[in-house]
Structures are given as structure tokens and as C-alpha cells.
Amino acid sequence: MTNEEKSKPKLGFTIIKNDPTDGHKGFGIGSLSLENVSPVIIDVEEGVASIEIGAMHARSDLERGIKFLIDREQSAGGKPYWLVWVTIDFKEDGPYYAGVTACEMVINRERRRGYKNFIEHMNNMDKSMKRHIIVEQMDDKSKHILADFLEGHNKELWDRSTPELRSSLRPETN
């Protein structure tokens, strides 16, 4: 038996679209549907935000080839980023940005090391799905980048979002 055959099996994470219990009452009961959650990555230095679906599994282009550690010192001199979990929900007048939670990341390409708190990332994804707004830890520049991105991505969703979200990202306008 080779070392590869002896290695532990890898656990996968399945994203289930639509209602996991639709049509039957067996397999899939209790599964989460993540179809309305999108990861947005903010490059603080470049001043840009983009949807990075690969970040759902920590496999975005930005994260590839980087060993993430919880020790910030390992990524010293790295570039700051925010991973923002954005959840869209529906109300009577249409869809809106319901949950928005931000998590810090630092990536040092030269060292191929990065900082992120995996537990915070998973907890914040869950909190976004539960319609929480958690952006107070972000710097003002990053908040403006995110607000501009969300509004530019879909103005109607932005306009229907809670005043809490809009004032958290743009306190001077509300």
C-alpha cells in the first residue's frame, strides 16, 4: 500500500441549489442552500472589489498558492484584502442585500504566506446568511469601495437594502 493510499480521505463540501428537500423527504434534509451567498473580495490598495465565487471554498485566484496561517507575522509586508460575504434575500418589493459581513485577509505573494482567521470566515458566512451586517471593523476606504461596488452591481438591490447597511458603509450620506 502506497502513502497516497494510506492518506486520510478528504471531506468535500457540497453546495446545494434550490430547496434541498424539494420533491422528497429523505436525502438532503438539514442541508444548507448557499445559492444566495456570494463572496466579494476587496483589494484595498487597488481600490477595487469583485465577486470571486472560488472564495466560497477558499479557492479564489487570489488564494491559490498561498499558505494561510493564523499568525499575522508570517504574512508581514503583505497586501490587505477583505473577503465580504454578501447574502441576497427577497421581500415584497423585490430582492435586496440582506446580509453583509467582512473578514480580513493579508497576502504576501513573495513569501507565499497569508493571514486569515478561518473560524471568523466561516462564522461570518453563517452570520451573513442570517441577515447580519458586520462591517464596523473595516476601514473607511474599504467601506466606500464596497458601497460603490454593491450599488454599481445592482442599484435596485442597494436601494431596497436596510438603512443599517447603507449607513454602515456610507455614514456621511444617511
Side-chain angles (χ1 to χ4, degrees):
M1 189 178 267
T2 67
N3 284 341
E4 287 180 26
E5 292 170 339
K6 291 180 185 177
S7 67
K8 293 181 181 179
K10 295 184 180 178
L11 297 175
F13 183 77
T14 304
I15 296 174
I16 300 172
K17 291 188 61 73
N18 302 322
D19 182 0
T21 61
D22 189 28
H24 56 84
K25 296 185 173 23
F27 180 79
I29 299 274
S31 298
L32 290 174
S33 174
L34 302 178
E35 67 179 5
N36 295 329
V37 179
S38 298
V40 174
I41 294 183
I42 298 172
D43 183 329
V44 179
E45 290 179 3
E46 299 295 322
V48 296
S50 60
I51 297 172
E52 291 284 344
I53 296 302
M56 194 68 101
H57 300 287
R59 300 254 191 272
S60 67
D61 289 341
L62 183 66
E63 296 166 296
R64 289 179 201 262
I66 302 295
K67 181 176 182 178
F68 284 97
L69 305 168
I70 195 126
D71 179 10
R72 284 180 187 272
E73 294 302 316
Q74 295 291 320
S75 62
K79 202 171 167 184
Y81 295 91
W82 290 99
L83 171 61
V84 183
W85 298 108
V86 178
T87 300
I88 295 173
D89 199 2
F90 298 86
K91 51 185 175 180
E92 285 183 24
D93 56 342
Y96 70 106
Y97 298 119
V100 178
T101 58
C103 312
E104 181 184 18
M105 279 195 320
V106 177
I107 295 178
N108 186 321
R109 283 262 166 236
E110 288 179 13
R111 290 186 178 176
R112 297 184 59 185
R113 296 288 182 264
Y115 164 80
K116 71 176 172 180
N117 183 329
F118 291 97
I119 294 169
E120 176 192 34
H121 282 238
M122 294 308 299
N123 286 340
N124 277 1
M125 181 174 72
D126 179 61
K127 288 177 182 176
S128 176
M129 292 168 56
K130 292 177 178 172
R131 315 312 184 243
H132 292 269
I133 308 297
I134 303 173
V135 294
E136 61 275 356
Q137 72 278 28
M138 295 175 75
D139 58 285
D140 287 342
K141 177 182 177 182
S142 297
K143 288 179 185 180
H144 283 281
I145 295 167
L146 181 58
D148 290 346
F149 174 79
L150 293 175
E151 185 175 19
H153 181 70
N154 190 309
K155 177 112 171 78
E156 291 77 26
L157 267 68
W158 175 258
D159 291 342
R160 282 190 288 268
S161 296
T162 64
E164 176 192 2
L165 173 64
R166 293 192 310 268
S167 66
S168 293
L169 296 177
R170 288 192 180 140
E172 71 286 344
T173 60
N174 290 344

